[in-house]
Amino acid sequence: MDDIDAMFSDMLQEMDLLTQSLGEEAESAPLPKPPSIPDPQEMNFSIGFTDLNASLHDLEDNDLDALMADLVADISATEEKFATERDTFTGSAPVAPKPSQPQSNFSLLASTDTSRPATSYNSIAAPPLPPASKPSKDELEEQMKADKIKLALEKLKEAKVKKLVVKVEIMDGSSKTLMVDERQTVRDVIDNLFEKTHCDCNVDWSVCETNPDLQTERGFEDHENLVEPLSTWTRDTENKVLFQEKIDKYEVFRNPQNFYLWKKDKKSLKDMKDKDKEQLLEENFCGASVIVPDLEGVLYLKEDGKKSWKQRYFLLRASGLYYSPKGKTKASRDLVCLVQFDNVNVYYCKEYRIKYKAPTDHCFILKHPQIQKESQYIKYLCCDDEWTMTLWVTGIRIAKYGKQLYDNYKAAVRKAAGSATWANRTIQASSSASTPSPTPKAKAANGHAPQPAVETKGSGNQTSFPPPPPSMEILPPPPPDPSFPPPPPSMEILPPPPPDHMLPPPPPNTAKVNKFPPPPQFPQSSFPPPPMDDLPPPPPPPEDAELPPDFLPPPPPSLTSNGGEALPPPPPDPFASLPPPPSAPQNFASAGGAPPPPPPPPPPPTPAPAPAAHKPHDSVRKVAPPPLKRTTPQLTAPSGGDFMSELMTAMQKKRSHQ
Amino acid sequence: MAAWDLTVTVEDLGPDAPPLQISVASDLHIGGVILKLVEQTNLKKDWSDHALWWEQKQQWLLRTGWTLDKCGVHADARLVFTPQHKPLRLGLPNGATLKMRACFSSSAFRTVMGICRVLSKKHLLLPMMKNKDSSEELYDLTDVPLTAGSVQALYNGMPAHFADSPKTEAVYKMLSVSLPSSAPEAIAKLYRPASVVDKTHIHTRWLDSSRSLMQQGIQENDKLWLRFKYYTFHDMDPKYDAVRLTQLYEQARWAILLEDIDCTEEEMMLFGALQYHIGKLSLSQDMVSSCQGMDDLESALKSLEVKMVGDSNSTDMLESMTAPELNDYLKIFRPKRLTLKGYKQYWCKFQDTSISYYKSKEDRYGEPIQQLNLKGCEVAPDVNVAGQKFCIKLLIPAPEGMNEIYLRCENEKQYSQWMAACKLASKGLTLLDISYQSEVKNIQTFLSMQRSNSAAPAAQTDDSINTHSLVSPRYQKKYKPKQLTPRILEAYQNVAQLSLTSAILKFLQIWQALPDFGISYFMVRFKGSRKDEVLGIANNRLIRIDLGIGDVVKTWRYNNMRQWNVNWDIRQVAIEFDGNINIAFSCVNADCKVVHEYIGGYIFMSTRSRQQSDTLNEELFHKLTGGHEAL
């Protein structure tokens, strides 16, 4: 809990800073990360591979906007998903792929998570589309339903789209953080990084992963998806993602003779004519099947479970890596297959002379990508020199990926050529305050989110207030709530729905809103900012769903607090005490930390959340002070993931401080 | 000019009829001779295909405008008046023999082209010449030590269209559908080259494509082999040429079964699995669907259907989107160091891509003992039908390594369901996937095959294929069917979903990726060397192989080649490469024209791939292969 709280406060801080800076257009100094919090621990909760906390700090405004939009999209997606009662898992973890990690501290969170999905489901079931239904729910309901159905398949897919916030280290020691969605290829990510780093866009740039445990490094191939391998990293991993130039990446296409004619003497290969190189490529990569370099030679193989390395005569074939057993010929029939490439990747290794007593430091291993630690299922190989290693690793890559590799190269060359000519433009574009959203694909994903999400995101910077209006539109559902007629009709069902729907929209708005809203909020008399109110509600819903009776009470308070928003009321009540800056931080600030969502409405009925909340609370308190100024509604978008719930709690905490 | 008597044998008068004597003058042209001849026979028939063959000189007198004088024909010449087109028996790559009329008077190149044109006549949209770039060449049968595996049928073929009659349709089917494999014993009996030297003998028998069949001593009704000679295959588009694809597959398959090309055990298992799959699909395939792409289309339609249904009643669909599950008692075994624990029974639930297991059925609503996510895992069968052992071996990746888990099923049905589910899950697919049912069925079929094998080994029904017939004799000896079947089954898992066409293409791909693919061997003696060596000719290079070591000593690539020619007097092929590298060799057991033509043929093929024209440049071909002038 501490971690979470700390993290959230961090995030909030960061968001505040960002928004403020935006307002002044002085985004330059996002401020050092709040020193207050111990980062190492936080990392655990982060997305499993990068430090969420840190990554959020690193996020640029645009990214932030995009992130928010994404989150919104996720929410809507999850709703869809639940509506269809399908696959709860993916839905719950749009951002954090592994919400399941059992941490005692998170027990509360977990419960809120589960409850939330439930509520969202209910909401949809009853009033499928609250927003639209504003005027006459029933009629529109039908229509909306039909529309939704049409998109059902697509949305289902959307709902399953995983997104990760990835921190990429760049050679100069700096790092960039970006949002990567499941469908993006490494090529997309590289293009994205080109935009952010203004490096020369040559074909050698690659995204690599390093594993300090195994001391390995591997460049992702351009056609691979980044999210999948990253999501198999362990939670406490110290693996890193690097962005660097790797000459090996496409060397085989620049100088194919060095790989395909490696037996010939180097001199004759050196000044090979381009025409001949081309032909070599055509012969080997453009036929019906790709021809793998006919590598063969002595390599050292680490013996299973021992520290000794044994020399063997290896041969590379399209079907796998073979060696010829002692006393046998090199004839195909006598070869023993060490490994086939379907399920393994090849990794460069560092300093294996020390680690495994390898004969040289030129080692590579073959392993299943999910294996992260030393294991008998890893094949360790050692070469005499670096060039031999490059030869084998490249050969194995060709055997594994075939023509795809060549296609990747051609695409990279095209890109490099294109970027050279467009360099000026891109630089300008990127330099201007409003950089395009992270990636086209991400945008697409957002497209499914409630109307405002996409546009707002894109235009975020310029249109400071436009966002609010959209939120208003979305809010419509809430209005009914405020009046509280809705509750009566279907006590349990209706209340929750509005919040859910409300939630999605708010985040986007908030993202932009932040930039300008700040002012309004400051005046904040308790909870005036309507959008804000919308956000808080989400948390309550879950509880409401669980405890319908409890829910009833909230309405009245809500009325009192803000006529505008039905749901907001519930939170306010609990927090009512909180608003008073002084007391709030202590008691329920904690609640804000993790459990906050539940606490607001239910606090009285559900004691459980509150206690849990206390722990975080403390930590939160410490942290909270600095950022306090701003309420950061933006973060609240709850999609059902841990991340979301955390955001929620963070939000509430913030509020309380205010 | 003085008249003299010319002796001409007219075949149509019967074998015992005496030769005709006609009175001619030296300035009479060939056309006139034929006219006189026909008048003298008094036979009324269509003589248009007939021409004069000069026996002693082994040449045709085809230029009817030339005079006898110009042709060098004198009174001592013995001429034969015979049809230019004669029946010929062709041994196809698939082992079937086809009887058809071929031209004996034009160059072998043209004759082959004509034959190919007929064989793929069904595809009239194709430019007629196209088939030639598959480069089928005639194999001389006269000294072939083996009879083709099974002489399935003799077809009298010159059909205008294969669809003309049921008979011709059958021919087409034979050509375009892969034939069931023969019994392993039969394969074992076939001639297999035991060494590189043996392989060189095969290649001595290619016909000279610049001379006619008759000139090369081929007689009516002789049997020739039709094979793909050049291993450069352009335009492998199954949509256009089912015959070509099938025959190419057959040639590849036999090359592997007869160990003409070496492969590793793993590769052999995959080849075996693909053969099984292709064989099974071919059997179930009827004439119509043999049209290429049909199966692909079908599956596309199927999935389209699913989508349509989904759209029409969305609510149903949404409900059905709730993934189905498998629930059953299975025995689970996790091998661990130092534990001898055996299989233990659990209640297992398969949902999405995960298996959750519980202590018992009653506990199934609680927390599972463990949940295994199979995405990305390795699935291997561990099955013995005779022993009623149906295990699924799972290797589930985890950060610490692979978790090894065995699932033991009670029976075939259960096994096939769970196995199929595991297989799909490893690819990230759920039970919802449309391929699930077919996957289940595939597994069942394969199992039933094994069952019938063990029950009645000799039985060769349509459904059961002896696994031994899928691998080369070496592996037949090495493994019993009982051992072989699981291994092929394992490889089969990865190909069971392929359509017929893609399975064939996959087979060809793997074949082409073999290191020794496409090398034709010739025994040669290099200039300045005292021992016989082997020259390997591939589509992009020449390889020098030392017979003592059996290893590649040197390779030369064609694109470094400056020129090559033949010294016909000493029958030596000389080649010059960039950098003043000159090599020369004479052929030990083949005519050097064969070698020369082979190299020239590959150069010719490479020019083709560049220009991509639809017609073959015959002149260029002969120029490149003829060896009469340096290039």
Side-chain angles (χ1 to χ4, degrees):
Chain A
M1 283 311 247
D2 293 326
D3 297 348
I4 298 172
D5 283 357
M7 179 168 56
F8 272 106
S9 59
D10 257 6
M11 281 175 28
L12 293 177
Q13 241 178 324
E14 185 63 23
M15 305 277 291
D16 284 350
L17 289 172
L18 284 175
T19 51
Q20 286 175 347
S21 66
L22 245 191
E24 304 160 23
E25 196 53 34
E27 165 230 353
S28 58
L31 284 196
K33 309 159 188 183
S36 54
I37 302 137
D39 285 352
Q41 290 182 338
E42 294 171 10
M43 293 189 58
N44 294 346
F45 187 72
S46 68
I47 303 173
F49 53 96
T50 56
D51 173 353
L52 176 56
N53 188 14
S55 64
L56 282 179
H57 284 302
D58 292 342
L59 279 177
E60 293 169 10
D61 286 323
N62 303 305
D63 294 329
L64 212 50
D65 287 343
L67 180 55
M68 293 316 298
D70 284 337
L71 294 180
V72 172
D74 286 339
I75 293 170
S76 66
T78 27
E79 282 180 358
E80 292 296 336
K81 189 185 327 149
F82 282 112
T84 58
E85 286 187 327
R86 217 203 154 192
D87 181 33
T88 54
F89 169 75
T90 51
S92 65
V95 175
K98 296 200 169 180
S100 57
Q101 317 284 25
Q103 291 203 2
S104 58
N105 291 342
F106 289 104
S107 59
L108 244 187
L109 277 183
S111 67
T112 59
D113 279 346
T114 53
S115 63
R116 187 172 302 122
T119 57
S120 64
Y121 166 66
N122 289 341
S123 68
I124 291 181
L129 296 181
S133 62
K134 212 207 231 173
S136 61
K137 281 185 182 175
D138 293 346
E139 289 180 10
L140 291 180
E141 202 174 298
E142 287 294 314
Q143 228 179 355
M144 293 304 292
K145 205 173 182 182
D147 288 344
K148 269 198 167 182
I149 287 163
K150 281 185 185 173
L151 289 172
L153 275 178
E154 220 174 322
K155 290 209 170 189
L156 277 175
K157 274 185 210 156
E158 288 298 330
K160 286 180 112 173
V161 172
K162 252 194 234 172
K163 298 187 185 68
L164 292 182
V165 177
V166 181
K167 180 174 162 189
V168 181
E169 289 193 8
I170 300 171
M171 298 252 274
D172 61 8
S174 67
S175 67
K176 294 279 173 192
T177 303
L178 55 160
M179 182 98 157
V180 183
D181 98 37
E182 197 177 25
R183 296 161 303 185
Q184 282 180 295
T185 62
V186 169
R187 182 74 242 165
D188 296 331
V189 174
I190 291 176
D191 290 347
N192 199 354
L193 283 163
F194 281 163
E195 261 174 35
K196 289 180 180 237
T197 58
H198 315 312
C199 62
D200 69 327
C201 304
N202 76 54
V203 296
D204 286 335
W205 284 99
S206 47
V207 175
C208 310
E209 59 170 327
T210 61
N211 179 325
D213 275 344
L214 290 169
Q215 298 174 8
T216 56
E217 177 175 325
R218 178 177 100 92
F220 291 109
E221 304 297 347
D222 284 358
H223 66 278
E224 285 184 85
N225 283 320
L226 192 56
V227 169
E228 197 184 334
L230 295 196
S231 35
T232 63
W233 286 3
T234 54
R235 191 171 216 193
D236 54 350
T237 187
E238 290 181 31
N239 292 7
K240 281 179 181 161
V241 179
L242 309 180
F243 183 54
Q244 58 186 2
E245 284 177 277
K246 301 269 284 182
I247 295 176
D248 289 352
K249 189 180 184 186
Y250 289 129
E251 180 64 12
V252 66
F253 301 112
R254 277 187 298 255
N255 290 300
Q257 74 280 8
N258 291 339
F259 296 84
Y260 281 92
L261 308 176
W262 61 278
K263 286 175 183 164
K264 305 232 173 196
D265 70 314
K266 285 268 155 44
K267 273 181 203 163
S268 65
L269 297 181
K270 210 167 184 183
D271 36 46
M272 191 172 205
K273 282 173 268 173
D274 284 350
K275 197 190 73 186
D276 290 339
K277 291 182 188 176
E278 255 169 53
Q279 195 182 340
L280 213 47
L281 287 180
E282 191 177 320
E283 273 171 20
N284 293 295
F285 285 94
C286 301
S289 64
V290 165
I291 308 298
V292 172
D294 55 343
L295 301 181
E296 57 178 66
V298 174
L299 301 178
Y300 301 90
L301 173 67
K302 185 170 173 287
E303 293 188 80
D304 278 348
K306 294 185 200 161
K307 286 230 166 169
S308 60
W309 295 71
K310 201 170 189 179
Q311 278 191 323
R312 289 204 181 276
Y313 196 86
F314 279 92
L315 295 99
L316 180 66
R317 296 170 75 100
S319 58
L321 184 57
Y322 295 81
Y323 62 87
S324 68
K326 249 189 187 161
K328 296 270 189 170
T329 64
K330 293 194 302 179
S332 307
R333 57 178 172 273
D334 291 330
L335 297 180
V336 175
C337 186
L338 177 72
V339 64
Q340 297 191 290
F341 304 129
D342 302 326
N343 294 313
V344 300
N345 284 340
V346 59
Y347 299 76
Y348 284 109
C349 307
K350 279 182 191 150
E351 295 172 0
Y352 267 23
R353 248 198 313 203
I354 298 169
K355 189 176 170 76
Y356 292 123
K357 294 191 175 160
T360 77
D361 267 339
H362 311 292
C363 297
F364 65 92
I365 60 170
L366 291 155
K367 68 170 182 76
H368 191 289
Q370 290 190 28
I371 297 179
Q372 301 288 324
K373 303 204 169 86
E374 197 177 325
S375 152
Q376 55 166 329
Y377 295 95
I378 299 179
K379 309 289 181 201
Y380 303 85
L381 290 149
C382 180
C383 314
D384 281 333
D385 53 59
E386 187 171 359
W387 171 245
T388 313
M389 176 173 68
T390 307
L391 212 52
W392 282 91
V393 171
T394 307
I396 291 169
R397 284 168 61 216
I398 294 171
K400 181 170 170 67
Y401 301 108
K403 192 161 191 302
Q404 180 72 56
L405 221 49
Y406 191 39
D407 293 340
N408 288 350
Y409 170 69
K410 286 188 286 190
V413 168
R414 272 197 303 275
K415 176 73 188 173
S419 66
T421 57
W422 294 102
N424 294 336
R425 278 201 197 182
T426 54
I427 289 173
Q428 286 177 351
S430 57
S431 61
S432 71
S434 64
T435 51
S437 63
T439 63
K441 284 189 179 179
K443 256 187 191 172
N446 297 336
H448 293 278
Q451 323 78 336
V454 176
E455 298 175 7
T456 54
K457 177 179 95 179
S459 61
N461 295 335
Q462 293 88 346
T463 62
S464 60
F465 275 86
S471 71
M472 291 308 294
E473 297 171 358
I474 300 166
L475 295 181
D481 298 340
S483 63
F484 280 86
S490 62
M491 304 293 297
E492 309 143 8
I493 301 171
L494 285 185
D500 294 344
H501 293 284
M502 303 290 301
L503 295 181
N509 302 333
T510 60
K512 296 121 193 181
V513 172
N514 299 339
K515 299 152 189 178
F516 293 65
Q521 290 179 349
F522 283 81
Q524 62 86 271
S525 57
S526 69
F527 293 66
M532 294 297 300
D533 296 347
D534 300 343
L535 297 179
E543 300 244 340
D544 295 340
E546 292 173 352
L547 306 175
D550 299 341
F551 196 67
L552 289 179
S558 71
L559 289 177
T560 62
S561 66
N562 277 334
E565 280 59 69
L567 289 186
D573 297 345
F575 285 86
S577 60
L578 297 182
S583 65
Q586 293 176 346
N587 301 337
F588 258 94
S590 65
T606 59
H614 286 289
K615 292 178 192 171
H617 152 37
D618 297 341
S619 67
V620 171
R621 233 202 323 180
K622 299 166 189 171
V623 181
L628 290 184
K629 304 177 188 175
R630 286 278 274 82
T631 61
T632 55
Q634 51 283 41
L635 289 184
T636 47
S639 71
D642 295 344
F643 181 56
M644 295 312 300
S645 60
E646 292 173 48
L647 286 174
M648 288 300 304
T649 60
M651 287 297 305
Q652 294 188 341
K653 208 196 295 179
K654 278 274 172 162
R655 270 191 170 196
S656 66
H657 289 299
Q658 285 188 345
Chain B
M1 200 168 270
W4 41 277
D5 279 351
L6 181 64
T7 313
V8 181
T9 307
V10 180
E11 285 191 342
D12 297 74
L13 294 177
D16 300 331
L20 296 178
Q21 304 278 335
I22 54 171
S23 175
V24 297
S26 292
D27 63 348
L28 184 65
H29 51 72
I30 302 292
V33 174
I34 293 176
L35 197 62
K36 279 196 171 185
L37 208 55
V38 171
E39 278 172 1
Q40 204 166 328
T41 57
N42 279 326
L43 278 179
K44 287 211 168 159
K45 60 176 290 183
D46 179 9
W47 297 97
S48 62
D49 190 43
H50 283 57
L52 290 171
W53 167 253
W54 188 356
E55 261 186 7
Q56 291 107 316
K57 290 238 174 167
Q58 289 284 300
Q59 72 181 41
W60 290 90
L61 302 174
L62 293 173
R63 302 189 187 232
T64 49
W66 284 21
T67 62
L68 288 174
D69 198 28
K70 193 172 181 184
C71 294
V73 177
H74 301 290
D76 61 345
R78 277 184 291 126
L79 300 186
V80 180
F81 193 53
T82 180
Q84 296 177 59
H85 288 81
K86 300 171 189 296
L88 191 65
R89 289 183 302 139
L90 295 172
L92 300 174
N94 63 0
T97 303
L98 187 67
K99 188 172 178 186
M100 67 186 292
R101 238 164 238 289
C103 181
F104 274 60
S105 63
S106 55
S107 70
F109 181 85
R110 289 200 169 185
T111 307
V112 170
M113 234 155 56
I115 291 170
C116 293
R117 207 178 301 170
V118 171
L119 294 187
S120 62
K121 188 127 195 176
K122 186 133 196 201
H123 316 286
L124 283 174
L125 288 179
L126 267 189
M128 291 305 196
M129 319 291 277
K130 198 145 192 176
N131 219 353
K132 173 53 185 150
D133 61 2
S134 59
S135 301
E136 282 108 328
E137 290 285 333
L138 292 177
Y139 237 171
D140 190 343
L141 182 80
T142 46
D143 56 351
V144 173
L146 54 131
T147 56
S150 49
V151 179
Q152 300 262 345
L154 288 173
Y155 297 109
N156 228 332
M158 283 290 281
H161 290 274
F162 286 109
D164 273 355
S165 69
K167 202 169 157 192
T168 54
E169 272 179 22
V171 175
Y172 182 72
K173 185 166 185 187
M174 181 274 295
L175 288 169
S176 61
V177 177
S178 115
L179 299 176
S181 42
S182 7
E185 301 78 32
I187 297 175
K189 259 186 257 166
L190 292 180
Y191 171 80
R192 296 194 307 277
S195 65
V196 182
V197 177
D198 285 353
K199 289 176 189 170
T200 66
H201 289 294
I202 295 175
H203 290 284
T204 61
R205 302 200 300 258
W206 293 106
L207 292 189
D208 182 343
S209 60
S210 61
R211 297 191 299 151
S212 70
L213 296 188
M214 204 72 162
Q215 282 174 300
Q216 301 184 57
I218 312 296
Q219 303 294 316
E220 188 172 326
N221 276 325
D222 272 355
K223 184 169 174 180
L224 297 177
W225 279 9
L226 198 58
R227 292 290 184 274
F228 295 89
K229 178 176 178 183
Y230 301 107
Y231 295 91
T232 312
F233 310 113
H234 299 302
D235 324 312
M236 292 257 284
D237 191 341
K239 283 199 183 72
Y240 297 120
D241 214 337
V243 175
R244 181 170 164 230
L245 193 68
T246 309
Q247 295 303 320
L248 189 54
Y249 160 69
E250 290 287 348
Q251 185 167 334
R253 176 180 148 206
W254 285 102
I256 285 156
L257 285 180
L258 298 181
E259 293 162 19
D260 192 29
I261 180 167
D262 248 353
C263 64
T264 66
E265 203 170 306
E266 285 74 18
E267 287 156 355
M268 182 58 87
M269 296 308 147
L270 185 51
F271 281 129
L274 281 166
Q275 280 182 71
Y276 166 75
H277 189 55
I278 292 168
K280 192 166 64 100
L281 290 178
S282 299
L283 280 176
S284 63
Q285 198 184 32
D286 63 348
M287 202 42 201
V288 184
S289 66
S290 75
C291 292
Q292 300 305 318
M294 210 55 177
D295 34 10
D296 297 329
L297 186 63
E298 226 165 81
S299 67
L301 278 175
K302 224 183 251 169
S303 65
L304 187 65
E305 237 168 70
V306 170
K307 271 182 196 151
M308 303 279 281
V309 170
D311 279 347
S312 57
N313 48 358
S314 47
T315 41
D316 288 355
M317 180 204 65
L318 289 180
E319 263 158 40
S320 73
M321 293 301 272
T322 315
E325 302 171 359
L326 290 178
N327 287 294
D328 225 334
Y329 273 113
L330 294 184
K331 288 180 179 158
I332 297 181
F333 170 54
R334 317 188 59 147
K336 277 180 196 155
R337 240 180 264 171
L338 304 176
T339 51
L340 296 171
K341 266 193 278 179
Y343 285 90
K344 204 175 162 194
Q345 182 161 287
Y346 294 97
W347 177 258
C348 300
K349 179 170 89 173
F350 201 113
Q351 193 179 29
D352 288 329
T353 61
S354 306
I355 295 178
S356 311
Y357 60 91
Y358 309 83
K359 205 166 176 190
S360 70
K361 189 176 180 182
E362 289 66 39
D363 293 340
R364 68 185 184 279
Y365 294 116
E367 281 287 304
I369 295 172
Q370 200 187 2
Q371 185 172 31
L372 314 165
N373 189 350
L374 303 192
K375 206 171 165 186
C377 78
E378 289 175 37
V379 185
D382 181 8
V383 173
N384 183 343
V385 177
Q388 284 297 295
K389 177 188 176 196
F390 300 101
C391 290
I392 303 169
K393 180 186 173 190
L394 299 173
L395 271 183
I396 304 174
E400 300 77 28
M402 309 292 265
N403 290 322
E404 204 172 335
I405 293 173
Y406 288 82
L407 303 180
R408 180 160 196 157
C409 303
E410 279 299 309
N411 51 44
E412 278 183 44
K413 182 164 174 264
Q414 196 184 45
Y415 168 81
S416 53
Q417 286 175 343
W418 285 79
M419 186 66 187
C422 290
K423 204 65 209 170
L424 290 181
S426 72
K427 296 178 201 151
L429 302 173
T430 66
L431 297 176
L432 267 178
D433 198 86
I434 47 167
S435 61
Y436 176 67
Q437 286 309 329
S438 64
E439 183 88 44
V440 172
K441 218 173 140 208
N442 279 334
I443 294 170
Q444 278 169 347
T445 330
F446 201 94
L447 289 179
S448 67
M449 167 183 132
Q450 197 187 2
R451 188 179 46 216
S452 54
N453 275 348
S454 46
Q460 283 279 320
T461 66
D462 280 357
D463 284 338
S464 80
I465 298 173
N466 191 325
T467 40
H468 259 174
S469 68
L470 301 173
V471 298
S472 71
R474 175 177 299 125
Y475 294 101
Q476 293 176 16
K477 267 182 234 154
K478 191 167 173 183
Y479 296 109
K480 292 176 191 154
K482 202 170 64 179
Q483 300 166 304
L484 203 55
T485 308
R487 298 210 52 188
I488 294 183
L489 180 61
E490 192 176 340
Y492 178 63
Q493 306 284 338
N494 297 319
V495 299
Q497 292 302 319
L498 296 178
S499 72
L500 177 58
T501 312
S502 20
I504 291 179
L505 287 175
K506 171 116 186 167
F507 190 100
L508 294 176
Q509 260 179 23
I510 305 172
W511 174 54
Q512 291 179 64
L514 294 175
D516 296 337
F517 165 79
I519 304 177
S520 310
Y521 300 96
F522 293 91
M523 186 89 80
V524 298
R525 171 87 50 103
F526 278 91
K527 193 178 168 186
S529 168
R530 288 190 175 179
K531 55 181 182 183
D532 288 346
E533 285 172 87
V534 171
L535 179 75
I537 300 179
N539 66 352
N540 58 358
R541 66 196 191 279
L542 298 176
I543 302 164
R544 183 174 182 172
I545 298 167
D546 187 309
L547 274 175
I549 321 169
D551 221 352
V552 174
V553 182
K554 183 97 184 132
T555 56
W556 301 278
R557 295 170 49 78
Y558 294 150
N559 55 343
N560 293 331
M561 203 153 115
R562 286 256 174 90
Q563 63 168 17
W564 79 107
N565 55 53
V566 183
N567 183 337
W568 293 108
D569 295 332
I570 55 172
R571 308 200 77 78
Q572 193 175 62
V573 181
I575 308 176
E576 183 191 340
F577 293 97
D578 286 345
N580 275 330
I581 300 168
N582 285 289
I583 60 167
F585 54 85
S586 55
C587 302
V588 177
N589 54 7
D591 191 313
C592 69
K593 170 70 165 73
V594 176
V595 175
H596 185 269
E597 184 176 325
Y598 227 128
I599 298 173
Y602 272 128
I603 306 285
F604 173 74
M605 299 301 265
S606 68
T607 65
R608 271 216 82 243
S609 63
R610 295 266 165 82
Q611 64 197 27
Q612 287 295 344
S613 75
D614 284 339
T615 51
L616 284 182
N617 186 339
E618 189 181 344
E619 197 185 334
L620 179 63
F621 179 83
H622 287 306
K623 194 175 165 191
L624 287 171
T625 57
H628 298 299
E629 49 190 313
L631 241 110

